Amino acid sequence: MGKENSAEKALNLIRGRLCDPTSVFRPLSGSSDSNFSKLKFIVSTSITEGCNNSILLLGPRGSGKAAVLDLVVGDLMEEYPDSVTLIRLNGLLHSEDNCAFKEIARQLCMEHHLLFSKMASFDENSQFIIAMLRECGLAHKTIIFVLDEFDMFAQASDLLLYSLLDAMQSVTSQAVVVGISSRLDADQLLEKRVRSRFSHRKILFLPPSREEIDSLLEHLLSLPADSSFPSGYVSQFNEKIKNITSDTRFKDMLKTFLNANSTVNSLLKFIFRAVSSMNLESGLLSLENFKTALSSMQRQPKLEAVRDCSILELYVLVCMRRLEVKEQSSYNFISVMKEYKTIHDSFQTSDYYAQNVCLRAFEHLREREVICYAENRGQSQAVEYRPMKLLISASELHQGMRSHACCPAILLKLLDH
Amino acid sequence: MTREENSKVTRRSARFSSSVTPDNPEPNPSHQPTVADLTFGEESITLDALLSSFPGRRSQILDLIRLIGPLDSPALPVMVYGDASTGKTSVALQVFRHLNRPFVYSSCRTCCSPRILFESILNQLLLHSKCSSNGYASAKRCDKPSDFVNLLKEALSSVVETLNSTKPERKPMGKMVYLIVDHVDLIKEWDKGTMILQFLFSLYSVLKMPQLGIILISGLPPDVYYSNVGYTDPLPVYFPEYSEEELRQIFLKNQANKKLYSAFLDVVLRPFCRVTRRVEELSTSLTSLFRKYCEPLDDLTISPNEDLKRRLYSNLKPHITSCLNEIFRISSRPLDGDSRGERRQKASYSSEKGEELEMLDFHMSTSAKYLLIAAFLASRNPATLDASMFDSTGGMDNRKRKRKASEKSMEKKEMAEQEAVMKGPGSFPLERLLAIFQCIASVGDSSFGEEEDEEGEDEATGYDKESKNMMSDILLQVGSCPLEGSIRYRSMVSEDLSLKVARSLSFPLSKYLYRR
């Protein structure tokens, strides 16, 4: 019972670490030429010297841009407790100007303990913001604007960006605008007048190297040797982790996984899944956990969809594929039914069903997005006459049918001819 | 709210066992909902009971439980996906019943717009119930994602605070709240659906609250949601279709006489599984077939021996094939009666669902039948041939001298046929339909005397109200022709149906059909 309790506690601890991005990226940001230090240097100089600045963080999704920024901001809040205000905006939520200004005003009010009125109009909000910028500048307080999903702000409309960057040009304001985007060409999306006011500083977030990943794994998966865990258990657990990570099979698994998706976030998901399947009775991780996690991360949805089809649906798919092979560029349900009938006539299969049954099988396939309408315009036609197309390739169909539980051999033969 | 939610939840979890339909009373105003009501509410079940109530779902249930994790363990968002009626919703809800953790459930099928979805989630978190005293209004008005994020943060922090301070009387509830959103694939069809989907997927990283766990249930696999913006894929849990063995266990679960039913399934399940493996479709056809199977038996509680099994099977055999061809039909006839002659239904052909109602014995007035045939002919024949087809001699035998078809003309014929199949039925203006109708009805007038008596007064040439109603069923309005400015129609009746109708009128349809 005690063993299970400590296993559960260990599990909770590791899961908590994996779900919290800042704790993941702190060890990666140790060295002096990392992105963390560069960013920190830029922002802290603008705070201490009282100047304005703008910067873009670019990198693929899940490489830790927001996490590193949070670390930097957290550090700066400690070092300069009263001179930093943080305003966060997200392109998914606040790309409209009204929403954006309202949100900025609301956050400013919360910071400075003012009353925020939801009924304030757009003009009132923008005047308030400009006034606050001036006041904070005069009081030597820096406002840091964090714009997540920067490309959505750039695409939607430039009013917000222009007013922010324009206000920063005046002498009295002290603001730093940090944009975060997963599009590497985010600054090309800006309009000319906004781009001219934007300092083209960019920090690129690249996938971590092998050594960084190894050290990250060790940091994430090792238990701390403090008193909340029985000491024998901790050393046993850490020993097992070392064995696993130095195993060549594990290294190969990791390499295959990182070949497909090399961001830190996906690695975290992989480890999360492996850790969640930890055997709570023994309380130790094993290589099996990582293997099952890998297979469940590498799903092939279209293959699964074909494997889930009933035999009649497989017939429909094979007929469509045969029509494609015969170079019929477009086909609809009626032509598929003709092909179905010819197959039945020539091979005397036992699976010949009425048209309405086949139509329903057709609809099932369409709902599962294995086939779809070839064009969207043909709304005025009945379902049977609208041209359709396959959404899976021939090899996927082949593979799916071969791994199907009870696919009749004749279908495989028909597919090959 | 709580009792509604509980009864909603019970109804959904009892899918193929005998369904309980509790009535939905007005929530008792004196019963103040507390945070403890966010859990499932009924007696928690053990893991073994959970596993045995879902045959064939053992690995998925264990996977889901492991991903949700032990008490108070932070979790990444999870997506449960699989085909329809594979048990995703029921498994998710029963897992939460077993774990006894507070959760909030909303389905995108009932909440059909973002505002309703956001408000439903907030209402449940704020423990607000819509009753007559507050005018059935939600607690907070929220239709934009930005407002939703702020309000959700406040609501979640207040719930977590209450959870931290309450002492649970039964199993501990933990300090986390789980959000279950069902039928996420329906959001794609909403207005601005892609934005809402991206928002939903990134909700966890936007909120940054470790006390929230998110579980999304979707009918489509995760690859249809891939997008460039705002998409972080959740951890997938896949629910495959049931295999034959699992289907057998499911169908045997609530049967009174298991031996008899399993003998029935032995002969019936395999052929039906070749057509579909969905539980809901199989269960409707299997129940009616089982009734037929048991017809010769007097005592339904006996366990059959080999001899009896063989006799029952031979009795059932002729019905199996016909039932297979009707497998997707939801029959409107009463299940025990077999009275075919009594029903009076209009034949209608709904284009989107593609289901035909029982069409063998329908009752249509003669004028309606002629209109149907006229519409079919108008769609199938090109307009230029009308004059020759329908001249005053009332249809003719336009068989030209048959020449031996050369290979090139055969090819051309095939291509033309293919094109015709692809194009589908043609469109025609209303005047042409009425003209054809007049022609063919006058043909039928001569043989009119022998028709049923009740039709005697009904002129075949009249365009009465019943026919007008039927027209909207068989015709599809296609746009207006830009030259003439009139509305054109297209017939949606299939060739089989028209042939049947023509045969019932003894109308020589094949003479009028243009064959290339």
Side-chain angles (χ1 to χ4, degrees), chain A residues 65-263:
Chain A
K65 312 181 282 288
V68 166
L69 181 65
D70 284 341
L71 282 175
V72 167
V73 166
D75 278 353
L76 291 175
M77 293 280 205
E78 282 174 13
E79 289 174 26
Y80 310 98
D82 279 325
S83 7
V84 176
T85 313
L86 183 67
I87 306 280
R88 279 181 190 278
L89 292 176
N90 193 317
L92 279 177
L93 309 171
H94 308 125
S95 52
E96 284 171 26
D97 294 324
N98 296 359
C99 282
F101 276 91
K102 190 162 138 185
E103 184 64 21
I104 298 178
R106 191 189 71 90
Q107 292 193 20
L108 280 173
C109 291
M110 255 181 30
E111 278 281 331
H112 299 269
H113 308 287
L114 302 167
L115 274 176
F116 174 68
S117 150
K118 287 195 210 139
M119 295 294 132
S121 74
F122 177 71
D123 287 326
E124 291 171 8
N125 279 335
S126 58
Q127 279 170 9
F128 170 67
I129 291 170
I130 303 210
M132 280 300 284
L133 273 174
R134 204 173 9 163
E135 288 297 323
C136 286
L138 288 174
H140 293 293
K141 288 176 124 185
T142 316
I143 305 186
I144 303 184
F145 289 93
V146 176
L147 300 175
D148 229 335
E149 314 284 348
F150 186 73
D151 44 298
M152 300 204 71
F153 281 116
Q155 278 173 329
S157 84
D158 57 340
L159 184 57
L160 169 70
L161 288 175
Y162 179 69
S163 24
L164 274 184
L165 293 171
D166 201 32
M168 276 167 45
Q169 303 286 9
S170 66
V171 180
T172 50
S173 71
Q174 250 181 275
V176 180
V177 171
V178 183
I180 305 180
S181 172
S182 50
R183 278 184 71 155
L184 297 179
D185 61 344
D187 58 335
Q188 306 295 326
L189 297 168
L190 293 171
E191 266 210 15
K192 193 158 98 73
R193 61 177 181 163
V194 178
R195 202 176 333 152
S196 56
R197 286 173 173 76
F198 189 76
S199 83
H200 290 258
R201 282 210 189 85
K202 293 184 237 181
I203 296 187
L204 216 51
F205 279 74
L206 299 167
S209 64
R210 250 351 257 272
E211 300 81 33
E212 286 180 337
I213 292 186
D214 289 333
S215 67
L216 179 67
L217 275 179
E218 208 184 292
H219 167 84
L220 284 176
L221 292 173
S222 319
L223 289 181
D226 61 9
S227 56
S228 54
F229 292 104
S231 59
Y233 174 63
V234 169
S235 51
Q236 216 183 359
F237 192 88
N238 292 345
E239 188 65 37
K240 195 76 205 287
I241 297 288
K242 269 209 190 52
N243 285 346
I244 295 177
T245 45
S246 47
D247 193 340
T248 41
R249 285 174 293 170
F250 177 75
K251 287 205 210 299
D252 287 336
M253 239 194 289
L254 202 56
K255 201 156 88 159
T256 11
F257 180 73
L258 289 175
N259 277 342
N261 196 341
S262 55
T263 55

Side-chain angles (χ1 to χ4, degrees), chain A residues 333-402:
Chain A
F333 177 66
I334 303 287
S335 29
V336 172
M337 279 295 105
K338 276 208 186 119
E339 180 72 22
Y340 182 54
K341 188 157 184 339
T342 32
I343 290 182
H344 174 73
D345 289 336
S346 42
F347 289 103
Q348 295 303 321
T349 56
S350 58
D351 288 301
Y352 191 64
Y353 301 103
Q355 184 157 353
N356 61 325
V357 178
C358 297
L359 187 59
R360 191 55 176 253
F362 207 67
E363 279 293 314
H364 283 175
L365 286 174
R366 198 178 63 81
E367 278 165 23
R368 261 194 248 132
E369 301 219 350
V370 183
I371 62 183
C372 73
Y373 291 129
E375 357 159 302
N376 265 331
R377 313 182 274 108
Q379 296 284 349
S380 58
Q381 281 277 23
V383 169
E384 297 95 325
Y385 290 101
R386 288 177 70 171
M388 310 287 291
K389 66 176 181 192
L390 275 174
L391 283 178
I392 57 177
S393 65
S395 54
E396 279 175 332
L397 183 57
H398 236 115
Q399 216 182 341
M401 280 173 55
R402 251 181 271 129

Side-chain angles (χ1 to χ4, degrees), chain B residues 109 118 140 142 194 217 267 271 319 331 333 426 430 434 463:
Chain B
R109 204 177 280 264
F118 296 153
K140 299 259 163 107
C142 167
T194 33
I217 305 183
V267 300
H319 295 279
S331 165
R333 74 174 96 154
L430 195 58
L434 291 176
Y463 187 53

Side-chain angles (χ1 to χ4, degrees), chain A residues 12 15 61 92 269 273 299 304 308 310-312 332 338 351 354 360 364 368 380-381 383-384, chain B residues 66-68 70 73 81 83 202 230-231 233 236 238 274-275 281 325 328 349 351 355 421 423 476:
Chain A
N12 282 2
R15 278 169 69 124
R61 196 164 287 285
L92 279 177
K269 290 204 174 84
R273 222 179 165 127
R299 299 231 80 105
E304 288 167 348
D308 266 355
S310 69
I311 297 187
L312 177 59
N332 56 14
K338 276 208 186 119
D351 288 301
R360 191 55 176 253
H364 283 175
R368 261 194 248 132
S380 58
Q381 281 277 23
V383 169
E384 297 95 325
Chain B
R66 270 187 241 126
L67 282 177
I68 296 178
S73 162
Y81 72 97
D83 212 3
S202 54
Y231 178 77
D233 44 332
Y238 174 54
R274 290 176 85 89
V275 178
E281 289 165 357
N325 275 331
F328 294 125
Y349 199 109
S351 67
E355 274 178 358
V421 161
K423 253 176 47 159
L476 179 63

